[in-house]
Amino acid sequence: MIYQEAYEKLKQCGQEHLLKYYEELSREEQEGLLAQIEATDFEVIDACHHMGENKKGKITPLAAMQLDEIEANREKYTETGLAAIRAGKVGAVLLAGGMGTRLGSDDPKGMYNIGLTKDMYIFERLICNLMDVVRQADSWIYLFVMTSDKNHEATVKFLKEHDYFGYNAEYVAFFKQEMAPAADYDGKVYLEAKNKISTSPNGNGGWFISMERTGILDIVKKAGIEWLNVFAVDNVLQRIADPCFVGATIAKECAVGAKVVRKNAPDEKVGVMCLEDGRPSIVEYYELTDELMNAKDEKGEPAYNFGVILNYLFREKDLEEILAKKLPLHVVEKKIPYLDAYGNLVKPETPNGYKFESLVLDMIHELDSCLPYEVVRNREFAPIKNKTGIDSVESARELLKLNGVEL
Ligand code: UTP
């Protein structure tokens, strides 16, 4: 792209200020900036002018498979799941492209050391959990790791240096997700350097498209993987490729299984499983009206009582069918490093603008059927979002200890 073309592209969306320092740049930097302008989709910025317009359809309950039903069928489901794993039909996708800003470490979140008397990195903990299943099935499971431009090198280097914490490197593959521009509250995209537009990872909803664009899907197909277990980097207790969960989702012939926990209060801040206009969906806590919060099912239990924990088992062929669908964009307020009027880099202490993200939970609504699968919260849900307090390093350590993990 030449300067004039870049200028025209930016003018059309009111972002010409991104060329403010163009004349000061070296030839190489100029080329880099023009290439970035060419590659960037500025249309996403429009989403900040339509906030709150995403209206939900008609919400009705979606029954979860609860613990008693799981226990009654555990052996059968586990066998089905193990058979699928041994046949190489199950792959795992670690979503590690996020910025982890709340945790406040400059390193990728998975590199965070939660150990007390010894090193215990988040990545290490997750791999330990996956190894339990590898041992049980006596079969390696492909682990696809999604990173972003911001943390790719550090993540790959760290895992290599630690020899993948004992995992078989032949079964590990990395891919990068895409980036989206970040803007101030008026929708003006920030610069993070004179030659660089401020961007951030475009949310965890783009994982499958990124697998396709980066060629990882070829590995999936060649290996004959039919199910992809997508999971977050920050839940250190989570069970990955859990055979019973895999077996239950296969047995129920669902397009996706979603691990859920029983809410601990009607107003707990988690997205809950439901049907929306008859299709599976997730209603966020801030979208849950009093009426829905207090609704009861036929057994007199709360009708919207199961929150998602970002652990989904997707049937791969169904994802291919929805590949071309556009997911809604979520506008998220964040702290975005930017250049001030004098060209100095500022790292704000409080949120100063918007990032634009698509979310994996919105993929559920595109699919025909979903199995919410209950897990015991204290056994499988220890998310690390913050350093202290709720969903923190501290709370996760307590939960790990409760589960007999030495730290
Ligand atoms: P979070 O919603 O907790 O976001 O991600 P985050 O960026 O990690 O953390 P904060 O909000 O800045 O503190 C949930 C999961 O989705 C992944 C994260 O790595 C985590 O596993 N994720 C998030 C991505 O892979 N890409 C993204 O663009 C965003």
Side-chain angles (χ1 to χ4, degrees):
M1 184 172 256
I2 57 166
Y3 177 88
Q4 196 54 34
E5 289 168 329
Y7 181 79
E8 290 302 328
K9 177 174 178 179
L10 294 176
K11 191 155 180 251
Q12 269 178 18
C13 46
Q15 307 288 353
E16 309 93 289
H17 59 280
L18 297 175
L19 287 166
K20 179 174 171 189
Y21 300 104
Y22 188 79
E23 293 306 327
E24 291 179 29
L25 305 177
S26 69
R27 184 73 177 270
E28 210 177 303
E29 288 171 333
Q30 286 179 338
E31 281 169 9
L33 179 60
L34 294 180
Q36 202 192 5
I37 292 168
E38 182 172 17
T40 301
D41 175 9
F42 292 98
E43 275 177 32
V44 298
I45 305 297
D46 205 36
C48 70
H49 304 303
H50 301 281
M51 280 156 71
E53 285 177 21
N54 275 349
K55 287 276 166 285
K56 281 272 178 211
K58 186 173 165 23
I59 304 295
T60 51
L62 169 63
M65 180 184 275
Q66 300 187 22
L67 296 175
D68 50 352
E69 187 182 348
I70 295 170
E71 275 325 306
N73 295 288
R74 180 167 293 282
E75 222 171 292
K76 184 177 75 181
Y77 290 154
T78 303
E79 254 172 51
T80 308
L82 285 173
I85 292 166
R86 289 187 186 120
K89 291 184 182 168
V90 181
V93 183
L94 166 55
L95 301 174
M99 299 280 284
T101 43
R102 282 170 285 174
L103 188 60
S105 159
D106 285 337
D107 289 330
K109 209 185 229 185
M111 284 172 62
Y112 201 87
N113 190 352
I114 52 171
L116 290 169
T117 60
K118 57 178 180 180
D119 289 341
M120 174 62 74
Y121 303 98
I122 292 180
F123 279 138
E124 179 178 9
R125 194 61 245 150
L126 295 174
I127 288 176
C128 274
N129 295 349
L130 182 55
M131 279 301 291
D132 288 345
V133 181
V134 167
R135 276 190 216 101
Q136 192 184 358
D138 194 18
S139 173
W140 289 103
I141 296 167
Y142 268 101
L143 174 62
F144 304 107
V145 183
M146 182 167 88
T147 60
S148 82
D149 273 350
K150 304 267 178 191
N151 67 13
H152 184 81
E153 263 108 73
T155 303
V156 174
K157 185 165 170 266
F158 179 79
L159 284 171
K160 271 194 187 147
E161 269 172 12
H162 287 86
D163 213 7
Y164 304 92
F165 296 104
Y167 212 73
N168 183 342
E170 283 172 31
Y171 285 83
V172 181
F174 297 90
F175 66 103
K176 274 202 240 176
Q177 69 173 103
E178 276 151 55
M179 306 295 282
D184 68 13
Y185 290 125
D186 295 322
K188 294 280 178 209
V189 172
Y190 280 121
L191 280 172
E192 65 180 34
K194 290 182 177 177
N195 62 335
K196 205 154 188 281
I197 298 171
S198 175
T199 57
S200 69
N202 67 347
N204 55 30
W207 68 274
F208 192 68
I209 295 178
S210 298
M211 278 182 100
E212 197 233 9
R213 292 194 180 149
T214 54
I216 292 287
L217 210 49
D218 297 339
I219 303 180
V220 169
K221 289 186 178 165
K222 221 161 144 194
I225 294 170
E226 293 177 10
W227 296 91
L228 289 169
N229 185 192
V230 173
F231 63 100
V233 71
D234 48 30
N235 176 9
V236 284
L237 266 186
Q238 74 186 312
R239 309 308 307 162
I240 306 153
D242 171 354
C244 190
F245 175 46
V246 173
T249 309
I250 293 175
K252 294 290 170 189
E253 296 181 8
C254 283
V256 58
K259 284 206 166 185
V260 293
V261 291
R262 196 174 284 264
K263 285 206 304 193
N264 58 20
D267 60 351
E268 190 190 347
K269 291 185 174 170
V270 287
V272 292
M273 294 276 356
C274 63
L275 290 174
E276 181 186 353
D277 295 332
R279 297 176 71 77
S281 187
I282 286 149
V283 53
E284 286 288 358
Y285 67 91
Y286 50 82
E287 296 168 322
L288 205 64
T289 58
D290 282 349
E291 192 190 333
L292 293 176
M293 215 184 281
N294 299 318
K296 299 276 187 287
D297 65 14
E298 64 279 4
K299 287 191 211 145
E301 306 255 333
Y304 302 94
N305 206 20
F306 291 97
V308 287
I309 59 169
L310 222 179
N311 187 317
Y312 302 103
L313 182 72
F314 286 96
R315 191 160 58 194
E316 191 275 336
K317 73 175 166 58
D318 296 63
L319 291 176
E320 286 191 47
E321 282 164 23
I322 62 163
L323 200 55
K325 296 245 167 107
K326 274 210 161 176
L327 296 178
L329 272 180
H330 295 255
V331 183
V332 199
E333 252 194 287
K334 293 253 170 149
K335 296 181 226 168
I336 305 161
Y338 67 99
L339 289 192
D340 66 11
Y342 307 100
N344 300 317
L345 183 68
V346 181
K347 286 191 174 178
E349 298 285 317
T350 52
N352 60 329
Y354 298 128
K355 292 183 175 179
F356 303 88
E357 299 189 340
S358 65
L359 301 181
V360 65
L361 59 82
D362 287 317
M363 296 169 89
I364 307 292
H365 190 50
E366 302 299 334
L367 299 166
D368 292 333
S369 52
C370 174
L371 174 72
Y373 174 98
E374 185 184 5
V375 298
V376 179
R377 179 188 286 254
N378 279 353
R379 296 250 176 83
E380 295 203 23
F381 191 43
I384 297 180
K385 301 288 182 191
N386 309 295
K387 273 211 171 91
T388 55
I390 295 172
D391 295 346
S392 66
V393 177
E394 282 176 353
S395 60
R397 278 185 183 139
E398 288 310 311
L399 285 162
L400 283 167
K401 281 190 216 155
L402 198 78
N403 283 278
V405 177
E406 272 180 45
L407 288 171

